[in-house]
Amino acid sequence: MTVKFTWLGHSAFAFEIDGHAVLIDPFLTGNPLAPVGADELDAEIVLLSHAHGDHSADVVDIANRTGATVVTNYECGNWFMNKGVKNVFQGNPGGSFHNDFMSVKWTIAHHSSSFPDGSYGGQPNGFIITAKGYKIYFAGDTSLFLDMQLIGDEGIDVAFLPIGDVFTMGVDDSLRAIGFIEPKYVVPMHYNTFPAITQNASDWANRVNSETDAKPIVLDPGGEYILS
């Protein structure tokens, strides 16, 4: 009864939940940190936080090859269906998706959302994933916001937070977010992919250890961690 996650660079993660394959924000094509190609990944579920190409780049190819269900917001879902994706589940903040091995609740995120072709991508989101007794918060691309305290009330085991700055919150605000959410573990993402979002993850981890009660999990691309 385990949950394993692998960092694929940027904000892309592969989860294995008791043998079920779940991808979040699969950006492999054009991702200089990606340890694998999109054609090497399987998926039953693809979660997409918003439309930007550095999150959505490989959704169509992966979904059409594997038959995965794409779980995303309403506008993104329409865009994917227009691209021929057969299995799409659409929701919005406050709504939920359920299957027999996990549930997913949409949260707000403060960001923008448009596809590379300029199409509007709707409300950007984060997710609270419940699987095998764990509560996992994937913040998506976002700034710090006070309602993260409400997310913390859910009893978060692991929080995935952007730290790159410029397009999302940076290191300082990520530390404040940890204080709001109070997770047991925290994983950095959306950093070091491009020069504009370069951060020192070791320094960030040292600050997490010294300034919060959370345990940092810093992975190299392709690195994995098992919750058990």
Side-chain angles (χ1 to χ4, degrees), residues 126-148:
F127 300 105
I128 298 173
I129 302 164
T130 304
K132 303 306 174 186
Y134 295 103
K135 287 282 187 78
I136 299 163
Y137 172 46
F138 181 86
D141 280 12
T142 189
S143 63
L144 177 72
F145 56 94
L146 189 59
D147 282 355
M148 285 181 173

Side-chain angles (χ1 to χ4, degrees), residues 173-193:
D173 279 353
S174 78
L175 271 289
R176 295 184 68 193
I178 293 167
F180 289 164
I181 300 162
E182 298 183 331
K184 296 174 184 175
Y185 301 93
V186 61
V187 182
M189 63 182 184
H190 206 279
Y191 72 100
N192 286 0
T193 323

